[in-house]
């Protein structure tokens, strides 16, 4: 094997892509040491680094010194090869100006960077004494590239962070503009003295986050010098500005620096290049569009007259922080972002690093929107630098810590990748290349693992997905729009403004409300900061309900209970639906509020419709039984069952309050929940009794639902009407099994009556044979004997709603078979039995209506109330269920519908009764949700009636409408009842 082949093989192993070409390039670098060759192999592109090094050695007058230094100066070697391995453009520059390799020597290059003033002085000093404009312009270009070379070297070797690079590039641009203005002034001569000209940096330059190759966005503002004519001064200022643009933008033998873009000025490219400060102020006060204020967020003086620049910023910035007060501000910014996406060329759509989905602009728009909305009142957010602003937003709680960190990391990665792409040719581009070689060089320059091209694409796509996710979360957060719609003084929650707003919103006790607000927002904690974001909006949401004072007080209590829970305020801040629903529920319902205060974590259920969809009985019952089995102590077991019930009660109540459930589904859900709870309680009681007896029960048990529970028509205040039935095991005696069953029933009732954090569940067995005087538990045989000999008409009527509930399945089925002939007699009712039903109803109407109750507004026993409607349906069932299968149901509405289908009553009459049943049931539920205590009569007190009306969907001012609708509906129902029930 020849020496050439051996060397070529070694180059290939070191990572050179074209070993043959690299061999030829080696000849241009005589005496290349092994250390230097190994260092070349670490460059982004070893081939490119070797080729550019050969050109540098060829053109350098001190090439021997260069090679010697490369062998001994590690810092020089690392920096120079990093530059040459990535940037062809800077390699070309060094070939033209080989003496500048010295700029990369010395260990202090990265640690002692020049500040803005030093860069400005150096750049201005280079051109200050050069008389010929052409020579001054080229001197400026060469000096700019020399300083850029130093910066790139420190960037690629990790001596400067991405943020430091952007800041120094902005300082370098500012110094370059000052130097260009110096050249322009020298060419204009005495005319330059007639005006004061300030250059305002915009975009990335203004934000101190400039790219390597980017337009430098500026706005020019001018004033006449003392004693000078304004028109003449403005003409000369325009000449100065034009010269400055040309000096930086035009191409010479030394290349170009970057374009200066003044298109962000008032009225854009078609408008005068230069305006006075007064003209600027007038334009922004009267004509500026939303996007112009967004652009001005980054405005800062960077060159020219510093005093005038400060005056400009002081005059314009207050207008920037009022922009979010505009109608539709948030939606307009969001629409602007969508328009940017629509104008991306299709061929670049998936590779656009800046403008595309998940790109840099997504981060910047999200941050700027949050700044403009919240920065009206929080001066900490008023930075033109994206990462500084993001850190401020995160620190103040406007963005979650994890989201802020992830967004910052992704932004740094994308900006670094953008820098690397631009450095290859020093061209303005934001498109990720497709070439594998280019991707490999970029990946290696960013220190990614091999294979570098695959690693780069993988990391880029990951960050792109993360940016898109967070952009959607932050940029389209509807809470932003709600905050933006508030006037600035209301967002601040200043005491005087807050008191006036609270009174106007309808808070009865604004002073008390202010105390709650102050308690929630006081201090500098992250919790207080997030509360300051939430409260201005939530105060309005509380006011949309009937009792904003109660809502705010409840919110404070919940926040006190959950304030240290990381998820709570983060969810409220990030999920406006949850926040708005929470405000509505707390300000509408004392019942739901009590449930939340007993278990504050349940507020998380408000986040979505799916979370508020009541779970079926089987799922809830399974959870309850599993929870109970985890405890040997029956008290702990029943508490775990009741904790699940408490959560499910809130789920149902919240869905009801938010209009997600109709009244029949509410009844169904509450009945299923009660059935599951009784099943869990029965299992717990059986286990407790067996543990006490130390032997299995000598009987099997079942529970039969009665009343509203059996009819799947429970309301929030309903007791659980039941019958207990048991059947002895074959070897057990009657007395022994009866005693065991009684112990289970009593233990079950005891456990459910224990004090706990959930609303009580009273188990009522008064509908059993012989009522309260009869045994609490009977065997199936005992029920059979009683019903065959002693059953009365009212007991058969009560059994219309009997439905097997829980316990032994076979026993449940046999009990149902036992009672079916009794409640659905084949021959219907005799005339005497029908008269007996009417007699009992008349006695109830006369005797049971509470003293002082208004029969027109009593929901249960009043005219056209629930008892009227249900007795009418039940009379029809007992008369005709023997021949009409549809009437064999425990549910009122279904019975009425079946009666109409069988033409037992008119369809309109059935609908009238059904509508009245739904109306009365809805009002009855609303009263419990509002009052938290059982009540059968419509409230008389105006405020309470208004709250009930609001829960029923009438709005805060709908009390009279509710009252009128209730009376009209029940009156129509009573007319039907008079015809159908009373004949």
């Amino acid at each position: 094997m020849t020496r050439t082949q051996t060397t070529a093989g070694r180059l290939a192993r070191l990572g050179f892509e074209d070993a043959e070409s690299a061999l030829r390039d080696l000849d241009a670098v005589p005496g290349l040491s092994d250390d230097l060759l190994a260092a070349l192999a670490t460059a982004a592109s070893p081939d490119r680094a070797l080729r550019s090094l050969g050109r540098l050695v060829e053109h350098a007058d001190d090439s021997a010194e260069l090679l010697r230094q490369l062998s001994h100066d590690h810092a020089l070697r690392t920096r120079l090869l990093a530059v040459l391995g990535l940037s062809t453009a800077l390699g070309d520059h060094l070939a033209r100006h080989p003496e500048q390799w010295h700029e990369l020597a010395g260990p202090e290059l990265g640690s002692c960077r020049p500040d803005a003033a030093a860069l400005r002085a150096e750049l201005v000093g280079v051109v200050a004494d050069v008389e010929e404009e052409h020579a001054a312009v080229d001197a400026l270009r060469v000096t700019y590239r020399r300083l850029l070379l130093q910066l790139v070297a420190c960037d690629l070797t990790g001596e400067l962070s991405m943020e430091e690079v952007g800041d120094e590039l902005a300082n370098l641009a500012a110094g370059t503009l000052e130097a260009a203005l110096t050249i322009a002034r020298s060419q204009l001569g005495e005319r330059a003295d007639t005006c004061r000209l300030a250059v305002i940096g915009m975009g990335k330059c203004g934000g101190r986050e400039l790219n390597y190759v980017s337009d430098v966005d500026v706005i020019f503002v001018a004033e006449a010098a003392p004693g000078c004519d304004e028109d003449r001064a403005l003409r000369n200022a325009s000449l100065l500005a034009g010269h400055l643009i040309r000096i930086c933008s035009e191409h010479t033998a030394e290349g170009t620096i970057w374009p200066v873009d003044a298109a962000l000025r008032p009225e854009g490219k078609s408008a005068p290049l230069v305006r006075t400060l007064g003209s600027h102020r007038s334009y922004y006060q009267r004509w500026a569009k939303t996007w112009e204020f967004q652009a001005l967020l980054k405005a800062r003086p960077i060159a020219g007259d510093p005093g005038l620049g400060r005056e400009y910023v002081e005059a314009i910035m207050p207008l920037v922080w009022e922009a979010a007060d505009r109608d539709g501000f948030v939606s307009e910014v969001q629409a602007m972002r969508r328009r940017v996406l629509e104008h991306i060329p299709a061929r670049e759509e998936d590779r656009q690093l800046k403008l595309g989905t998940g790109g840099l602009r997504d981060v910047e728009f999200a941050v700027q929107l949050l700044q403009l909305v919240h920065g009206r009142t929080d001066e900490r957010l008023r930075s033109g630098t994206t990462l500084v602003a993001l850190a401020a937003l995160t620190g103040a709680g406007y963005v979650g810590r994890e989201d802020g960190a992830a967004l910052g990391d992704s932004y740094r990665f994308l900006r670094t990748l953008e820098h690397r792409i631009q450095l290859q040719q020093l061209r303005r581009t934001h498109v990720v290349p497709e070439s594998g070689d280019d991707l490999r060089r970029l990946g290696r320059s960013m220190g990614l693992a091999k294979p570098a091209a695959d690693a780069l694409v993988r990391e880029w796509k990951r960050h792109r997905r993360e940016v898109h996710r967070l952009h959607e979360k932050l940029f389209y957060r509807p809470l932003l729009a709600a905050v933006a719609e508030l006037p600035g003084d209301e967002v601040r929650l200043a005491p005087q403004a807050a008191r006036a707003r609270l009174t106007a919103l309808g808070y009865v006790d604004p002073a008390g409300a202010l105390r709650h607000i102050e308690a929630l927002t006081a201090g500098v904690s992250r919790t207080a900061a997030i509360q300051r974001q939430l409260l201005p909006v939530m105060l309005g949401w509380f006011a949309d309900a009937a009792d904003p004072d109660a809502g705010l007080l409840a919110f404070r209590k919940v926040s006190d209970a959950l304030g240290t829970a990381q998820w709570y305020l983060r969810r409220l801040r990030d999920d406006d639906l949850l926040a708005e629903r929470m405000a509505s529920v707390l300000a509408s319902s004392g019942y739901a509020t009590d449930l939340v205060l007993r278990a504050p974590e349940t507020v998380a259920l408000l986040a979505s419709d799916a979370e508020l969809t009541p779970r079926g009985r089987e799922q809830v019952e399974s959870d309850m039984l599993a929870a109970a089995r985890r405890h040997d102590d029956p008290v702990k077991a029943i508490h775990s069952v009741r904790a699940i019930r408490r959560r499910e009660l809130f789920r149902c109540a919240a869905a009801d309050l938010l209009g997600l459930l109709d009244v029949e589904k509410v009844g169904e859900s509450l009945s299923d929940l009660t059935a599951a709870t009784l099943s869990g309680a029965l299992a717990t009681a059986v286990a407790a009794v067996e543990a006490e007896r130390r032997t299995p029960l000598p009987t099997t048990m079942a529970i039969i639902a009665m009343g509203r529970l059996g009819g799947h028509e429970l309301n929030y205040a309903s007791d659980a009407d039941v019958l207990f039935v048991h059947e002895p095991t074959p070897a057990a005696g009657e007395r022994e099994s009866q005693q065991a069953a009684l112990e289970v029933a009593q233990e079950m009732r005891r456990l459910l009556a224990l004090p706990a954090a959930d609303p009580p569940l009273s188990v009522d067995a008064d509908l059993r044979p012989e009522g309260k005087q009869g045994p609490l538990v009977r065997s199936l045989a005992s029920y059979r004997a009683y019903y065959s000999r002693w059953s009365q008409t009212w007991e058969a009527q009560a059994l219309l709603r009997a439905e097997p509930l829980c316990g032994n399945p076979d026993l449940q089925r046999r009990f149902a078979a036992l009672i079916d002939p009794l409640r659905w007699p084949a021959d219907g009712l005799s005339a005497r039995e029908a008269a007996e039903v009417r007699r009992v109803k008349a006695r109830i109407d006369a005797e049971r209506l509470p003293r002082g109750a208004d029969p027109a507004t009593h929901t249960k026993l009043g005219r056209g109330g629930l008892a009227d409607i249900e007795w009418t349906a039940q009379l029809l069932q007992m008369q005709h269920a023997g021949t009409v299968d549809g009437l064999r149901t425990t549910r009122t509405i279904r019975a009425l519908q079946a009666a109409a289908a069988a033409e037992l009553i008119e369809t309109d009459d059935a609908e009238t009764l059904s509508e009245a049943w739904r109306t009365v049931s809805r009002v009855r539920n609303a009263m419990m949700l509002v009052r938290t205590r059982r009540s059968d009569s419509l409230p008389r007190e105006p405020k309470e009636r208004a709250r009930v009306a609001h829960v029923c969907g009438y709005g805060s001012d709908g009390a009279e409408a509710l009252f009128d609708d209730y009376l009209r509906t029940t009156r129509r129902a009573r007319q039907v009842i008079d015809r159908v029930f009373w004949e």
Side-chain angles (χ1 to χ4, degrees), residues 1 11 22 57 68 223 245 253 291 314 351 435 457 504 541 543 575 614 628 662 760 762 766 772 815 834 961:
M1 182 179 291
L11 291 173
V57 169
R68 188 186 71 78
E223 294 290 342
I245 292 173
W291 71 264
E314 290 169 1
R351 296 184 295 117
S435 163
V457 172
W541 287 335
D575 189 340
D662 61 34
S762 176
D766 290 352
K772 294 180 181 180
F815 184 90

Side-chain angles (χ1 to χ4, degrees), residues 843-863 936-937:
R843 198 180 86 187
I844 290 174
D845 289 349
E847 298 177 2
R848 293 195 182 178
L849 191 69
R851 185 184 301 273
D854 183 354
T857 58
H858 196 277
T859 59
K860 183 176 182 181
L861 301 175
R863 294 189 292 269
D936 291 319
S937 292

Side-chain angles (χ1 to χ4, degrees), residues 719-742:
D719 293 339
D721 292 313
V722 300
L723 298 178
F724 291 102
V725 58
H726 78 100
E727 186 169 54
T729 56
E734 179 68 29
R735 179 175 296 181
E736 178 190 8
S737 61
Q738 178 69 22
Q739 180 59 35
L742 179 61

Side-chain angles (χ1 to χ4, degrees), residues 163-200:
E163 295 96 312
E164 292 170 324
V165 170
D167 182 61
E168 193 163 327
L169 283 169
N171 291 338
L172 185 55
T176 302
L177 289 170
E178 191 66 57
L181 187 57
T182 300
I183 297 172
R185 285 188 176 280
S186 68
Q187 297 303 309
L188 204 59
E190 294 180 356
R191 287 180 294 171
D193 297 331
T194 62
C195 63
R196 300 166 62 203
L197 179 67
V199 184
I200 308 300

